[in-house]
Amino acid sequence: QISGFDLEFGEDSAGEPAVWIWFEIEKGFQADDATQKQINELAEAVSRQLLEKDISRWPYVRFRERA
């Protein structure tokens, strides 16, 4: 379950402007194959839509457990 998201701005390892979109998932969440597919589709859709908007930073979509 996704419980929120956070944005981090900076430079990637190549020194290029980047934005990290961190989706927070509930601690201990285990995704089955169907859910993992949906998570991957979400990550791809977010990246694609940001790139289509021609933002000035490269988007990196990531997932992490909620603290």
Side-chain angles (χ1 to χ4, degrees), residues 6-21:
D6 193 22
L7 302 175
E8 293 179 19
F9 297 90
E11 293 181 350
D12 63 16
S13 61
E16 297 296 323
V19 58
W20 285 264
I21 302 96

Side-chain angles (χ1 to χ4, degrees), residues 31-38:
D32 59 21
D33 289 343
T35 303
Q36 186 61 53
K37 182 179 178 192
Q38 290 177 328

Side-chain angles (χ1 to χ4, degrees), residues 29-50:
F29 175 73
Q30 297 293 317
D32 59 21
D33 289 343
T35 303
Q36 186 61 53
K37 182 179 178 192
Q38 290 177 328
I39 289 170
N40 291 340
E41 289 172 351
L42 171 64
E44 291 172 13
V46 169
S47 291
R48 183 178 55 251
Q49 288 186 21
L50 288 171

